Amino acid sequence: MTLGKMGLTKQYLAYKPASSFNIIASGRANISFITVNGVDGRYVVVAAAEKVIVWNMRLSEKVAEFKRDKQEVTHLRASPDQKHLAVGYADGVVELFDFASQLSVCSLAAHRSAISALNFDLLGLQLVSGALDNDVVVSDVVAHEGRCRLSGHTAPVTQACFMQRYRDVVVSCSKDTQIKFWNLETQYCFKTIVDHRTEVWGIALMRNDDFLVCGTADTQLSVYRIAPVADDQPIEEESTVSPFRCTAIGSIQRAGHGRTINLVADTNGQVLGCHGTDKKIELFYFCTIDEALKKLTKRMKKLKTKAGTEPDSPSAAPEARQVALTDEIKRLPSLVTPEKVKSFDLLLGSRNELRVCCTFLKNFVQLSSLALGTKAAEPVTLHTVQKQGHPSEVRSVAFSSDSLAIASGSAESLKLWSRSTQTVLRTVPTDGGYVVSTCFVPGDRHVLVGLKSGHLLIVDIAAAEIIERIEAHAKELWSISLTPGMHGCVTAGGDTTVKFWSFELIGAAEGGDVKVLSLLHKNTLKLEEAVLCVRIAPNGKYLAVALLDTTVKLFFLDTLKFYLSLYGHKLPVLTMDIAYDSSLIVTGSADRTIKIWGMDFGDCHRSLLAHDNSVTGLQFVPKTHLFFSCGKDGRVKQWDADSFQKIITLTGHLGEAYGLAVSPNGRYVVSCGSDRTLRLFKRTDEPLVLQDAQEEEREELENATLATGEESSVPGLPGLRLPSKKTVGAEKGAENILECLEVCRSYEADGCKGPLPPLMFAYSVADTGAFVLTVLDRISASDLKESLLLLPFAAVVELLERIPGLMASRRDATPLLCRVVSFLFFMHHKTIVSQKTLVPVIETMSKTLHQEVRSLRDMIGTNLHASQMLQRELEEHQGCALFRDATVQRRDRERRRRKREASKRTFVQITT
């Protein structure tokens, strides 16, 4: 909507993304159990395009949501203490979210391509990530920075995890068929398993690192035993660098077909699950040593009985070294799923109840249970989250006349949504019909649905059922348009016909006074080519028809005589719309262009190269000459048909956009796409100046390409591999440091007299030392090293010369200054040492740094032991524990309260 004109600028009201819905779980990322309010086995976290959603499986409700714009989630993992959630994205960034606040704690720019693996260590202090760029990066969760980059794989990394028994050891596997063991202290691969001939798709460490199981493209799971290196072992058998032996002891034959897609173990490493390309999850239980010895004893007794000896004859007790793989691994009942599994997670409860939660390609999540302690137990489906979204991609959307409801159609159903809450109101199965067009009937009690088979459905919204199925066309029913008088509609199909229908109320089949809506066929317009879109001018004079021969033909609506032909597109017109005053018609084609035509003479006012791919949706905002368009490039754009300018590009879909609809009041826009999301945009009261919007888009495009290049290079260190990548934030940090040093030089040259420089005043600092520290502190921890790496050596020297003075005046900044000094010396050691002017600076810095670090260490130790002494004294005087665990009693009270409420409440059974 146009606000008015101010000089040469024209103002508009901005549209902002309001929400995205319809998607339950993405198929690209994994699923994981999490603990919420001390409850396990009920809550799962899944990826939903660029968002992360926490679902309550028992109530099928959305509990929490984590957002980061524009990038698709590819992997996620919760920390062991359930306080943080690590989310990996398609651009190689790992975002760390806090569960309590649902806000981002830090952002780790670790990789150059999509994240494929994430895992925390046992304490949750370190995070290992693998990606499609063949690298493994270990990050420090506490310091919010990368620790090391492990390069050695020659294909995308498929899994990476920490070993629990051996400290600072990471295991990774890749599509290069190799499994590597890394020592984080030396950043060296000390062992590589090259036994496989096909890609390794997953690994799992079982039973406290006793076993390593890996899944490949074969139908077998390879099992390796990990054991400490014995003191009397010959050196030639095993390298002395490795702290353990990893030997192949057998394989597990899978019952499923195809390659292993996922290999998942529970937290304790007792149960292993895997699935291939079929509809089945296979489960295996790794017995403890005592359980394995019992199975061995029973097996030996059976063998003796078959051999004819007495089973109770005295014999030596079985030893652990006699245990076979069949004694240590037990096959559990397989979980048969309704569809092909995309990802799953396991959780073994205290009562030997195994819970399995799966995501599927058809956009639903299922929770199943298996009682391990019961003989002949079978998996049971507990809950399913399915009704909150379409199983397949949405192809058509429409708004009701009051702008309160949205209709969306997919390959198997039609759903009615509440625009305000984005919840499903009605679901109407189309009995296998593929929906390609939708339209609300005046009165908003019925919806017209066009199918790919050519059928036209009349859907009753209140009853959520199809009241009539009409064989309207012999082929696809591509378009439905209402007549200006709202007494009928026009349909266009792939059978080269345009048919005219009128609304009629006819008596129901049961008789009585009840009447139902029906369509009466009035007329048919036969054409030479298939019709892809049809529109009627609001003034009721013209009928516009888009044909497969790339032309748009205009006919007189009353006589159906030919009026004009609009030709100029190189490919067929897929969508079009006519302005409210019938003066303009806008067409969108598969040739990526949008053309604006005059209805009076059929002249082309302007041709716009609108999208990077086919234009799939286009509609005018009511009562204006503004219109929205969407294309297969995923973007949604707003245009001005009078000035022929693009107003704004909205955050679109991660894949292709299939269609859009503008609400009758002009305040909302909804679009659908291949990422299975419905995206709602809302008009705000914020004025939007065209020049400002264009400048923001230009800056965003410039920021996407780094000015200093992608690679980090240092003279003398050609093979430098930092555990981070260069980002726009790192470039801005380097610019801020250089600007800070320049301001400090000019201010000190004037004797630090006169008014403060504007930049220092903006940072609220009084001297240059505080200014330097403030600038360094405002650079994020993950970007600090890359920012320091971009500094020229002259700036490095100047920064080092200021360090001794900063240490003396600001002892609280010792950790930050230590990080800066150590990294600069690591990068520029030879050059710094060769500078004679820096020798006194280095000597002073070395003494001061050691003193400050020792002082900090002593202060922390003194405070720690003083607190322990105070605790002991208080406990002795008061006769009770000072820091007694008060959460135990609270948990007991909550458990008793839930039991009381459960006895009073009627449970609602959730069916699949």
Side-chain angles (χ1 to χ4, degrees):
M1 177 170 295
T2 307
L3 281 181
K5 295 185 178 179
M6 296 175 57
L8 297 176
T9 63
K10 189 175 183 181
Q11 288 185 334
Y12 305 90
L13 292 180
Y15 283 81
K16 299 289 184 182
S19 65
S20 64
F21 51 102
N22 177 64
I23 188 166
I24 299 174
S26 296
R28 187 173 181 182
N30 62 318
I31 185 173
S32 179
F33 279 103
I34 62 169
T35 302
V36 178
N37 297 327
V39 179
D40 293 327
R42 186 187 301 177
Y43 299 92
V44 295
V45 58
V46 298
E50 75 279 4
K51 298 189 299 184
V52 176
I53 299 176
V54 178
W55 287 101
N56 184 340
M57 295 299 298
R58 186 175 180 180
L59 303 177
S60 298
E61 289 182 353
K62 192 184 298 183
V63 177
E65 198 172 85
F66 305 91
K67 297 180 181 179
R68 178 178 179 260
D69 295 336
K70 298 183 181 179
Q71 293 296 332
E72 185 180 7
V73 177
T74 57
H75 208 85
L76 47 89
R77 185 73 60 191
S79 62
D81 57 3
Q82 300 293 318
K83 291 184 178 179
H84 296 95
L85 178 69
V87 182
Y89 292 89
D91 60 348
V93 174
V94 178
E95 202 86 20
L96 205 62
F97 290 96
D98 181 57
F99 271 117
S101 63
Q102 301 180 21
L103 298 177
S104 175
V105 178
C106 74
S107 181
L108 302 170
H111 297 274
R112 290 171 173 80
S113 57
I115 304 295
S116 58
L118 284 174
N119 268 304
F120 285 91
D121 65 351
L122 187 60
L123 300 178
L125 303 180
Q126 296 182 102
L127 177 70
V128 61
S129 58
L132 303 184
D133 60 359
N134 310 347
D135 290 341
V136 177
V137 174
V138 179
S139 303
D140 192 331
V141 176
V142 180
H144 296 173
E145 64 176 0
R147 180 178 171 185
C148 60
R149 181 182 295 274
L150 309 174
S151 300
H153 287 292
T154 58
V157 177
T158 54
Q159 184 60 279
C161 56
F162 287 95
M163 297 190 72
Q164 298 181 5
R165 185 183 299 178
Y166 303 95
R167 186 181 176 187
D168 283 347
V169 175
V170 168
V171 191
S172 65
C173 64
S174 167
K175 290 184 181 181
D176 61 2
T177 73
Q178 297 179 356
I179 301 174
K180 291 182 178 290
F181 294 83
W182 307 85
N183 187 339
L184 298 186
E185 292 184 358
T186 60
Q187 302 180 22
Y188 172 72
C189 174
F190 61 86
K191 187 173 182 60
T192 303
I193 298 176
V194 291
D195 298 346
H196 305 95
R197 299 296 180 91
T198 57
E199 298 93 344
V200 180
W201 290 97
I203 55 174
L205 293 167
M206 305 302 297
R207 212 176 72 182
N208 194 19
D209 297 347
D210 282 342
F211 299 97
L212 173 68
V213 184
C214 63
T216 62
D218 303 329
T219 58
Q220 293 181 343
L221 302 178
S222 303
V223 183
Y224 295 84
R225 188 184 298 276
I226 299 175
V229 177
D231 296 335
D232 56 349
Q233 181 181 352
I235 296 178
E236 60 269 16
E237 289 188 12
E238 186 77 23
S239 173
T240 55
V241 178
S242 176
F244 52 80
R245 288 181 293 110
C246 185
T247 55
I249 59 174
S251 60
I252 305 173
Q253 181 63 44
R254 290 176 42 234
H257 302 289
R259 70 171 179 88
T260 303
I261 295 179
N262 277 328
L263 203 62
V264 179
D266 72 310
T267 309
N268 300 322
Q270 291 293 118
V271 181
L272 176 71
C274 70
H275 76 89
T277 56
D278 50 1
K279 303 177 183 179
K280 182 188 297 184
I281 296 177
E282 298 178 64
L283 302 172
F284 304 93
Y285 180 76
F286 281 70
C287 304
T288 61
I289 298 178
D290 295 336
E291 292 172 342
L293 290 174
K294 287 181 181 179
K295 290 183 67 176
L296 175 62
T297 305
K298 291 181 180 179
R299 185 165 59 85
M300 293 178 67
K301 284 183 179 180
K302 289 181 180 179
L303 291 175
K304 289 179 180 179
T305 304
K306 291 181 180 180
T309 59
E310 291 292 331
D312 295 333
S313 60
S315 60
E319 299 180 1
R321 58 186 176 86
Q322 297 176 325
V323 175
L325 190 62
T326 54
D327 300 324
E328 296 186 293
I329 301 177
K330 180 174 66 174
R331 187 183 294 269
L332 299 176
S334 298
L335 174 64
V336 180
T337 58
E339 296 291 340
K340 289 185 179 181
V341 181
K342 293 301 294 183
S343 69
F344 72 99
D345 195 21
L346 305 175
L347 182 65
L348 184 60
S350 57
R351 299 179 182 178
N352 274 343
E353 181 194 5
L354 179 68
R355 293 207 167 185
V356 185
C357 201
C358 319
T359 62
F360 302 88
L361 185 62
K362 288 198 172 181
N363 195 28
F364 69 98
V365 183
Q366 178 178 293
L367 178 64
S368 304
S369 175
L370 176 64
L372 299 185
T374 306
K375 289 186 178 181
E378 292 295 330
V380 179
T381 301
L382 298 180
H383 309 292
T384 303
V385 181
Q386 189 173 13
K387 295 183 178 179
Q388 286 81 357
H390 284 278
S392 59
E393 298 171 351
V394 178
R395 289 286 177 169
S396 177
V397 288
F399 264 105
S400 62
S401 61
D402 54 5
S403 305
L404 296 178
I406 300 172
S408 61
S410 64
E412 62 286 306
S413 63
L414 174 80
K415 285 185 181 290
L416 277 299
W417 305 81
S418 170
R419 189 261 308 155
S420 57
T421 61
Q422 293 90 48
T423 56
V424 179
L425 303 177
R426 299 284 189 275
T427 300
V428 184
T430 56
D431 301 330
Y434 195 109
V435 179
V436 293
S437 56
T438 52
C439 179
F440 274 89
V441 176
D444 296 335
R445 295 184 179 181
H446 301 83
V447 178
L448 299 179
V449 179
L451 302 183
K452 202 171 185 179
S453 61
H455 289 78
L456 180 61
L457 307 182
I458 304 177
V459 178
D460 189 340
I461 296 177
E465 63 180 8
I466 300 172
I467 60 176
E468 189 174 1
R469 180 185 291 264
I470 304 172
E471 295 183 3
H473 294 270
K475 291 184 179 180
E476 301 89 348
L477 201 161
W478 289 120
S479 180
I480 304 174
S481 180
L482 295 176
T483 57
M486 301 299 175
H487 298 301
C489 65
V490 181
T491 60
D495 57 355
T496 70
T497 61
V498 175
K499 293 189 177 182
F500 297 81
W501 310 82
S502 64
F503 298 124
E504 299 289 341
L505 290 175
I506 62 174
E510 297 83 4
D513 298 333
V514 180
K515 292 187 176 182
V516 295
L517 181 71
S518 180
L519 289 178
L520 182 62
H521 182 216
K522 290 290 187 181
N523 203 352
T524 300
L525 176 62
K526 183 68 176 176
L527 298 161
E528 297 82 10
E529 296 284 345
V531 184
L532 302 180
C533 187
V534 63
R535 289 291 183 268
I536 299 177
N539 59 7
K541 294 176 86 173
Y542 305 113
L543 172 73
V545 179
L547 301 178
L548 194 62
D549 61 358
T550 74
T551 63
V552 176
K553 296 187 182 298
L554 299 182
F555 297 88
F556 290 104
L557 185 60
D558 50 358
T559 61
L560 297 183
K561 288 185 178 180
F562 176 74
Y563 172 54
L564 283 175
S565 181
L566 309 178
Y567 54 90
H569 284 290
K570 297 179 180 178
L571 290 174
V573 174
L574 304 179
T575 179
M576 62 182 177
D577 199 16
I578 301 175
Y580 74 102
D581 54 2
S582 303
S583 61
L584 297 175
I585 179 172
V586 181
T587 57
S589 169
D591 62 4
R592 305 178 297 170
T593 62
I594 290 176
K595 292 184 183 293
I596 304 172
W597 315 77
M599 290 284 286
D600 295 334
F601 305 103
D603 55 327
C604 181
H605 292 180
R606 186 63 61 92
S607 180
L608 306 171
L609 183 60
H611 292 270
D612 297 334
N613 209 324
S614 302
V615 182
T616 55
L618 189 149
Q619 188 172 345
F620 272 101
V621 178
K623 306 299 181 183
T624 68
H625 280 181
L626 309 179
F627 65 92
F628 284 89
S629 69
C630 67
K632 287 188 176 181
D633 58 356
R635 295 184 176 90
V636 177
K637 300 183 179 182
Q638 186 184 12
W639 306 83
D640 190 339
D642 293 330
S643 61
F644 317 122
Q645 288 185 322
K646 181 185 67 177
I647 300 172
I648 192 172
T649 301
L650 299 173
T651 305
H653 297 266
L654 298 177
E656 299 177 352
Y658 293 140
L660 61 80
V662 181
S663 63
N665 59 12
R667 296 185 60 188
Y668 301 95
V669 179
V670 65
S671 64
C672 58
S674 62
D675 57 359
R676 297 176 184 267
T677 60
L678 292 173
R679 298 182 183 267
L680 183 66
F681 305 94
K682 181 181 180 181
R683 190 179 68 204
T684 63
D685 295 331
E686 175 187 349
L688 179 70
V689 181
L690 195 59
Q691 287 76 5
D692 295 344
Q694 293 173 352
E695 185 65 28
E696 289 178 3
E697 290 184 15
R698 194 178 302 113
E699 289 180 0
E700 186 177 354
L701 187 62
E702 290 176 356
N703 290 338
T705 57
L706 298 177
T708 56
E710 295 287 340
E711 296 297 329
S712 300
S713 60
V714 176
L717 295 174
L720 177 67
R721 300 284 288 169
L722 289 179
S724 59
K725 71 173 183 179
K726 195 183 299 182
T727 62
V728 177
E731 289 185 340
K732 290 182 178 179
E735 291 176 1
N736 291 338
I737 294 175
L738 292 175
E739 189 176 17
C740 167
L741 295 177
E742 184 179 355
V743 171
C744 291
R745 279 198 308 270
S746 61
Y747 186 57
E748 290 171 352
D750 296 337
C752 298
K753 297 179 181 178
L756 282 175
L759 201 58
M760 292 179 62
F761 183 78
Y763 277 88
S764 302
V765 292
D767 58 349
T768 56
F771 184 31
V772 173
L773 282 176
T774 305
V775 170
L776 290 174
D777 189 50
R778 291 199 177 191
I779 302 174
S780 65
S782 59
D783 290 333
L784 181 60
K785 290 184 178 180
E786 292 286 350
S787 298
L788 296 174
L789 194 60
L790 289 172
L791 296 179
F793 185 71
V796 171
V797 172
E798 185 177 354
L799 188 60
L800 288 175
E801 290 174 346
R802 294 180 180 274
I803 295 295
L806 295 177
M807 290 179 180
S809 60
R810 292 288 299 273
R811 300 180 60 185
D812 58 314
T814 301
L816 175 62
L817 295 176
C818 285
R819 290 177 57 193
V820 171
V821 170
S822 60
F823 181 76
L824 291 179
F825 268 85
F826 174 71
M827 290 291 107
H828 308 279
H829 179 264
K830 291 183 179 180
T831 318
I832 291 174
V833 172
S834 63
Q835 295 285 329
K836 295 182 179 180
T837 56
L838 287 178
V839 173
V841 176
I842 294 173
E843 293 177 352
T844 307
M845 198 184 307
S846 177
K847 294 179 182 178
T848 310
L849 268 178
H850 283 90
Q851 291 176 359
E852 293 299 331
V853 171
R854 282 197 297 268
S855 175
L856 277 177
R857 182 192 62 190
D858 295 341
M859 181 180 66
I860 293 173
T862 303
N863 291 338
L864 175 64
H865 290 285
S867 301
Q868 293 176 351
M869 185 188 70
L870 289 174
Q871 178 183 350
R872 288 194 299 269
E873 291 181 355
L874 287 173
E875 289 176 353
E876 289 176 0
H877 288 300
Q878 298 180 2
C880 64
L882 182 62
F883 296 107
R884 185 169 50 86
D885 191 358
T887 60
V888 177
Q889 290 184 352
R890 182 170 61 84
R891 283 199 295 266
D892 291 339
R893 288 197 302 268
E894 288 292 326
R895 192 180 297 112
R896 289 194 295 268
R897 181 182 62 81
R898 286 196 296 267
K899 286 183 178 179
R900 288 196 303 268
E901 291 180 353
S903 61
K904 300 176 183 179
R905 187 171 64 239
T906 302
F907 286 95
V908 179
Q909 184 179 4
I910 301 176
T911 59
T912 59

